[in-house]
């Protein structure tokens, strides 16, 4: 194998990235994901009834594997794979491993072995999906965890995945978009705006490996896409 002689340039298309969108129920995560180019939903839970979208209902890990194989085959029009939700996908993966090993719960296996098998299988499939020439969008909900520091304790908002699964998804996502509702005063009235947070703080998980996005955006695909493209044009 010959070693590279040139650096690879930063990817210019959203379809080259893996993205995690998470936020409270009914804030608009699925609507945002549905506006990505030629999106195909691997729907692991109900939630698309009010949207016109291409979807494959997923009720098991075997079902997700079959859909992933069809996507990898490339004989289709789709450009973005959306897993809605990634939380349920992880549950299906856990059930799959338990059935394969003939146990009721991963903890029924030797110490650490069960969860190691689940997490390895989960990461293996997500890594393969992320490596395909299509965008990958994963959707999750929010939970609050208590964080203890030497200076005190506080609550942090994070995706509703189990700890290890959350680390896998947060680690592989090029963008972690935290969707929230923010109150402000305008003309003496309280106005609620739905926003996207893209930069990490001690109080919530977020991130943007591309460095293209501002810290806060309106919760709108148009605003998100324009910010990504405009930053790319300035860099060029």
């Amino acid at each position: 194998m010959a070693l590279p002689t040139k650096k690879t340039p930063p990817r210019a298309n959203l379809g080259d990235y893996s993205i995690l969108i998470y936020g409270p129920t009914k804030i608009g995560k699925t609507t945002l994901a549905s506006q990505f180019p030629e999106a195909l939903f691997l729907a692991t839970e109900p939630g698309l009834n009010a949207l016109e979208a291409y979807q494959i209902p997923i009720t098991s890990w075997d079902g997700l594997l079959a859909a992933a194989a069809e996507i990898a085959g490339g004989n289709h029009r789709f450009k973005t794979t959306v897993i809605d939700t990634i939380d349920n996908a992880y549950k299906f993966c856990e059930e799959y491993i338990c059935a394969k090993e003939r146990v009721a719960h991963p903890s029924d296996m030797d110490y650490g072995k069960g969860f190691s098998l689940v997490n390895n299988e989960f990461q293996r499939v997500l890594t393969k999906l992320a490596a395909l020439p299509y965008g990958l969008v994963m959707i999750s909900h929010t939970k609050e965890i208590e964080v203890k520091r030497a200076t005190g304790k506080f609550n942090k908002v994070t995706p509703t995945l189990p700890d290890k699964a959350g680390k896998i998804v947060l680690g592989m996502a090029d963008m972690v978009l935290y969707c929230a509702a923010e109150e402000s005063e305008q003309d003496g009235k309280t106005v609620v705006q739905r926003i996207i947070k893209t930069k990490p703080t001690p109080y919530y998980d977020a991130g943007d490996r591309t460095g293209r996005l501002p810290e806060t955006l309106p919760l709108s695909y148009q605003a998100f896409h324009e910010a990504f493209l405009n930053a790319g044009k300035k860099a060029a």
Side-chain angles (χ1 to χ4, degrees):
M1 179 184 294
L3 297 177
T5 57
K6 294 182 180 179
K7 295 180 179 179
T8 56
R11 301 294 181 91
N13 298 315
L14 277 175
D16 294 322
Y17 293 98
S18 299
I19 301 171
L20 172 65
I21 301 172
Y22 81 104
T25 302
K26 295 181 176 61
I27 198 167
K29 306 181 295 294
T30 299
T31 300
L32 175 64
S34 71
Q35 295 170 347
F36 277 71
E38 301 296 339
L40 170 64
F41 280 79
L42 305 187
T44 65
E45 66 175 46
L48 287 168
N49 293 337
L51 286 175
E52 187 177 27
Y54 293 99
Q55 64 170 302
I56 301 174
I58 302 294
T59 57
S60 68
W61 192 247
D62 280 322
L64 191 143
L65 292 177
E70 288 289 330
I71 293 167
N75 187 26
H76 55 77
R77 59 179 290 179
F78 302 108
K79 297 179 181 177
T80 308
T81 303
V82 182
I83 305 178
D84 188 4
T85 61
I86 193 66
D87 305 70
N88 270 5
Y90 184 78
K91 291 178 186 176
F92 296 153
C93 183
E94 186 175 294
E95 292 169 358
Y96 169 83
I97 294 295
C98 286
K100 189 176 180 180
E101 298 295 322
R102 298 182 181 180
V103 296
H105 191 268
S107 60
D108 294 337
M109 285 181 264
D110 292 341
Y111 180 76
K113 178 183 176 182
F115 288 107
S116 178
L117 289 173
V118 173
N119 293 325
N120 288 344
E121 171 68 6
F122 183 67
Q123 186 167 22
R124 178 187 74 82
V125 174
L126 288 189
T127 300
K128 285 195 171 184
L129 280 172
L132 295 175
Y134 315 111
L136 175 62
V137 176
M138 300 165 283
I139 297 177
S140 183
H141 301 300
T142 55
K143 65 181 179 182
E144 286 193 0
I145 59 173
E146 186 177 82
V147 178
K148 294 181 180 179
R149 298 279 174 83
T151 54
K153 58 184 180 180
F154 57 90
N155 288 337
K156 179 179 181 178
V157 179
T158 189
T160 49
L161 285 157
D163 183 57
K164 181 62 178 177
K167 289 178 180 177
I168 291 171
V169 172
L170 289 169
M172 72 176 294
D174 299 301
M175 302 179 203
V176 178
L177 309 181
Y178 168 42
C179 302
E182 189 174 75
E183 291 186 355
S184 61
E185 293 292 327
Q186 295 182 14
D187 300 326
K189 296 180 180 180
T190 301
V191 177
V192 179
Q193 294 179 312
R194 294 183 302 165
I195 58 170
I196 299 172
K197 294 288 190 180
T198 71
K199 308 300 180 188
T201 78
Y203 304 104
Y204 54 79
D205 284 313
D208 170 28
R209 203 168 278 159
T210 71
R212 293 187 176 202
L213 302 175
E215 182 176 352
T216 304
L217 283 164
L219 207 172
S220 140
Y221 178 78
Q222 182 179 353
F224 166 72
H225 192 216
E226 286 180 357
F228 179 83
L229 291 180
N230 289 340
K233 290 175 183 177
K234 289 178 183 178

